[in-house]
Amino acid sequence: MASAPSLAVDRVAAPAQTTRSSEHPASRFDPSRRHSLSRFATLRPGPDGELVADSPTDGRLLSLRNATQVALVLRFLEPQVPDELVAGLDAARREALLDFFGHCHDAGLLVPVDDAGREARHDALAHWEVHDLAFHARSRRGRTPFAVGAISPPTDALEPEPAFKAPAAALSVSLPKGRTASDEPTLTAALEARRSLYRTTPVDLDDLGAFLYRTSRVTAVRTTADGDSLLQRVYPSGGALHALELYVIPTRCRGLDPGVYHYRPREHALVAAAGPGPDVDHLLEEARHGTGRLEDAPSVLLVLSARFRRVARKYQGLSYALVLKEVGAAFQTFYLVATALGLAPCAIGTGNSDRFARALGIDYYTESSVGEFILGGREA
Ligand SMILES: Cc1cc2nc3c(=O)[nH]c(=O)nc-3n(C[C@H](O)[C@H](O)[C@H](O)COP(=O)(O)O)c2cc1C
């Protein structure tokens, strides 16, 4: 039996919990069962010098206020039976400790485990990565203790982020808009014909211009009462904030030298954002490798980045989920327009945000890549 800690009741007394109640009722705490620290538990400093502990499996927040409480939680790095930990203590301490462990259990930090040390809910949770479950639980209503949704007006705690990113250089390439060919498919026909295609034929600048004009230009700008600009594009955006930026990395596009270009959605033009180099080569190679089948670099790699603060001022903890949903809306738009133009579109599942930030000399936390997409030209 594990030795019982000698603990002053006032050091153990119930940790503060958030006043917001979780919509996810806790299961009953059974101190006669073995418990471990959940693999989903996180500990971080709170605003008042406490350590905030929580788990996305449950949603309550627990404030650990002193080293005794932290040490008690850490004992469960090894499975422990709470009843055994408190055996031999006087009634007041026993009650205080079991109450504390009960709070830890209700916050999802302590979870019952079987004799092999496996969490009782192992089968239900096995497919969840820690970061995925935390993201899922915190960006949707239900068990999260935080408000999820828009705040109005946006928080002053964050500096406003302008609707349009300042150009890195003078306008360099103005783009054609393209014309609608008489044999272009209808929307329904484009939807039915849409496929991920793996072609490395060169992309004409006319086609690239038509693609960017139809998918990504800003079609309207509206100024709000507080002076911010809300945008309209052909794909939707939460709160009309449109925080995505689009970069073009051509390898075989007649009329464009290699490098990285930023798409200016109001001017329908490309601005040189970075020259070629090892980081750009790495991005192209990762995209090629991500297809599992291209032998050459993609003719054009498109990278979507997000200027997060523009979304976070209004949507706080919901922001990242909104950004990724917007990437999905942009991807389908890219697919359909590329299909209509006879180009070869394919989404790529992930990319290297550090390489991208380094290639462009941008701050990872201010603007980071969130989506990659490749384009091949028309059939030869
Ligand atoms: C979000 C997303 C990520 C994708 N990632 C990749 C990828 O990394 N590599 C790839 O070759 N295809 C990728 N694809 C394309 C899928 O493999 C493709 O959509 C799927 O095989 C169905 O084929 P279809 O698009 O022709 O209908 C991705 C598609 C989506 C929507």
Side-chain angles (χ1 to χ4, degrees):
M1 186 177 81
S3 63
S6 158
L7 298 153
V9 170
D10 62 341
R11 305 286 292 165
V12 180
Q17 285 186 266
T18 51
T19 48
R20 295 188 199 108
S21 66
S22 165
E23 288 182 30
H24 179 63
S27 55
R28 199 178 67 79
F29 174 51
D30 178 355
S32 67
R33 291 184 68 180
R34 281 152 58 90
H35 285 73
S36 269
L37 198 53
S38 165
R39 75 179 172 94
F40 293 100
T42 60
L43 289 175
R44 58 188 177 276
D48 302 318
E50 78 282 29
L51 205 55
V52 176
D54 69 351
S55 164
T57 53
D58 288 270
R60 291 166 184 77
L61 296 180
L62 200 65
S63 295
L64 302 175
R65 302 213 167 267
N66 55 52
T68 303
Q69 292 182 334
V70 175
L72 280 170
V73 169
L74 294 184
R75 289 199 69 147
F76 287 85
L77 284 167
E78 292 285 326
Q80 309 279 352
V81 177
D83 274 346
E84 292 176 4
L85 277 179
V86 302
L89 295 178
D90 61 55
R93 286 182 189 189
R94 215 168 45 234
E95 194 184 321
L97 272 171
L98 288 180
D99 191 51
F100 175 76
F101 293 144
H103 279 299
C104 293
H105 166 271
D106 291 350
L109 304 180
L110 300 188
V111 290
V113 293
D114 62 19
D115 289 342
R118 276 184 8 150
E119 188 170 339
R121 294 175 293 182
H122 174 82
D123 289 347
L125 290 169
H127 57 282
W128 279 102
E129 295 284 339
V130 174
H131 66 281
D132 278 337
L133 190 56
F135 179 42
H136 177 64
R138 290 286 180 259
S139 59
R140 303 191 58 81
R141 298 196 187 100
R143 65 189 56 192
T144 178
F146 303 110
V148 174
I151 49 168
S152 183
T155 175
D156 286 336
L158 299 175
E159 283 286 305
E161 178 75 25
F164 295 101
K165 186 180 168 172
L171 292 190
S172 58
V173 185
S174 65
L175 292 165
K177 295 178 182 169
R179 262 180 269 121
T180 309
S182 56
D183 59 350
E184 266 191 28
T186 61
L187 174 61
T188 302
L191 279 161
E192 296 291 330
R194 185 211 59 79
R195 288 274 78 85
S196 295
L197 299 174
Y198 302 86
R199 262 199 322 263
T200 53
T201 46
V203 176
D204 277 344
L205 194 58
D206 275 359
D207 283 339
L208 182 66
F211 173 86
L212 293 172
Y213 186 79
R214 293 196 199 179
T215 60
S216 303
R217 80 184 192 283
V218 165
T219 54
V221 181
R222 182 160 52 88
T223 306
T224 61
D226 60 3
D228 194 11
S229 295
L230 300 181
L231 308 181
Q232 205 173 297
R233 300 189 191 216
V234 299
Y235 62 82
S237 168
L241 294 169
H242 280 288
L244 296 183
E245 299 293 332
L246 179 60
Y247 294 85
V248 177
I249 306 182
T251 64
R252 283 178 300 284
C253 179
R254 289 183 270 264
L256 277 186
D257 292 332
V260 184
Y261 298 83
H262 178 223
Y263 179 63
R264 303 283 302 162
R266 240 184 333 188
E267 296 86 352
H268 183 55
L270 292 176
V271 174
D279 289 321
V280 177
D281 289 346
H282 191 95
L283 297 174
L284 287 162
E285 171 53 21
E286 280 194 341
R288 185 200 68 77
H289 188 258
T291 66
R293 66 188 93 183
L294 281 191
E295 292 192 351
D296 296 322
S299 304
V300 172
L301 170 62
L302 302 170
V303 180
L304 286 166
S305 71
R307 287 184 294 130
F308 299 108
R309 201 172 63 216
R310 186 158 164 80
V311 193
R313 286 185 81 236
K314 180 166 182 184
Y315 290 106
Q316 300 187 315
L318 180 55
S319 305
Y320 197 63
L322 289 183
V323 163
L324 295 188
K325 286 171 185 174
E326 191 169 321
V327 169
F331 274 8
Q332 178 69 345
T333 308
F334 291 176
Y335 265 114
L336 292 179
V337 171
T339 303
L341 292 170
L343 303 176
C346 186
I348 300 293
T350 189
N352 189 321
S353 300
D354 277 296
R355 290 274 184 172
F356 183 74
R358 207 160 66 193
L360 271 81
I362 54 178
D363 175 46
Y364 183 98
Y365 300 107
T366 304
E367 179 185 348
S368 203
S369 55
V370 288
E372 285 75 16
F373 198 95
I374 60 173
L375 274 184
R378 294 171 190 257
E379 273 179 301

